[in-house]
Amino acid sequence: VDHQRADWVSIHKQICQLLIPIQPSLPRLLSDKERNHGMEQLLRRQKYIAELAFSTAQSFVAGGQHAEAIPAALQALRFGTRAYGSASLCLLPAYLLLAEASTGVGHLQQASKYLSQAQWIVLSTPDCSAALQGKLHRSLGLLRAAEGNLEEALYHLATDIYLTSSTFGPKSIEASGGYFHMANVFCHQKKMDIANSLYAEV
């Protein structure tokens, strides 16, 4: 009951009516043109639900409501997989969001599984952008920090800053998140001079 209530509050009430027309197969009596049109409509609906669920989950995470974000992020992953395939880079943001939400509720092992899947997608996509790789390293850095592995966290956050800076520039807003999280790690290590320098950079 608690799981169903969480799912309803998170995303289900927003997508419930959208799920009704989704059918796994179309009648065989349709012409090729009608069947193709039906498949296009189905694909468009799946992409829309994936985007709606992702933005909903993102809003919950931004508000610190990590538990509420997980059902929505799972729906984003589910419909994203249907629309784009299980190895698509389009799934990377959903995996990273699931990892962040899972870390936020203390499910570090589950977060690690999501990030492993994200790593596999990045490694199997040679033309993956530096910006997306940077986001993956930021997520890995945050997970390592939550696990208490601060040296490895610093490595991943530094890699994030490098990759993000190579795309947007070292003084970009996009790179500032990496500096901020790295400063937090140095705070935990009681290296306040370095931390304050990085906060100033942010």
Side-chain angles (χ1 to χ4, degrees):
V1 172
D2 288 343
H3 174 75
Q4 288 176 336
R5 189 179 298 116
D7 182 56
W8 180 259
V9 168
S10 175
I11 189 64
H12 202 81
K13 68 181 173 185
Q14 292 183 57
I15 64 172
C16 190
Q17 292 302 312
L18 296 171
L19 297 175
I20 294 170
I22 293 181
Q23 296 179 7
S25 60
L26 295 167
R28 294 181 185 214
L29 300 176
L30 295 177
S31 68
D32 287 345
K33 184 178 178 181
E34 289 172 321
R35 193 175 294 109
N36 288 339
H37 177 72
M39 291 304 290
E40 286 172 14
Q41 292 290 95
L42 176 62
L43 182 61
R44 196 173 300 127
R45 187 179 295 272
Q46 288 170 339
K47 288 180 180 179
Y48 175 76
I49 293 173
E51 289 167 13
L52 175 63
F54 179 79
S55 63
T56 301
Q58 216 172 17
S59 297
F60 279 125
V61 167
Q65 298 173 281
H66 296 98
E68 289 82 355
I70 291 174
L74 284 170
Q75 291 291 359
L77 181 62
R78 176 184 176 201
F79 284 96
T81 301
R82 289 183 183 182
Y84 302 108
S86 60
S88 172
L89 270 178
C90 295
L91 302 181
L92 194 63
Y95 277 118
L96 298 182
L97 198 59
L98 277 165
E100 186 176 353
S102 297
T103 301
V105 294
H107 298 160
L108 302 185
Q109 192 172 4
Q110 189 62 49
S112 183
K113 288 179 183 177
Y114 290 132
L115 289 179
S116 292
Q117 190 64 33
Q119 275 183 301
W120 179 83
I121 290 172
V122 167
L123 291 172
S124 60
T125 311
D127 59 343
C128 180
S129 70
L132 278 176
Q133 291 179 53
K135 287 182 179 181
L136 172 61
H137 279 283
R138 184 174 298 181
S139 294
L140 287 165
L142 292 174
L143 175 62
R144 296 297 173 252
E147 292 170 340
N149 189 342
L150 301 184
E151 290 303 321
E152 198 172 334
L154 288 173
Y155 164 78
H156 285 296
L157 292 170
T159 305
D160 161 40
I161 292 168
Y162 170 75
L163 291 167
T164 306
S165 296
S166 70
T167 303
F168 302 105
K171 301 291 185 185
S172 63
I173 286 290
E174 290 81 4
S176 67
Y179 290 119
F180 177 76
H181 294 303
M182 187 177 260
N184 289 341
V185 173
F186 280 118
C187 267
H188 284 296
Q189 292 182 326
K190 307 288 190 244
K191 297 177 180 176
M192 296 311 298
D193 288 349
I194 304 173
N196 287 333
S197 174
L198 288 169
Y199 285 134
E201 188 69 22
V202 174

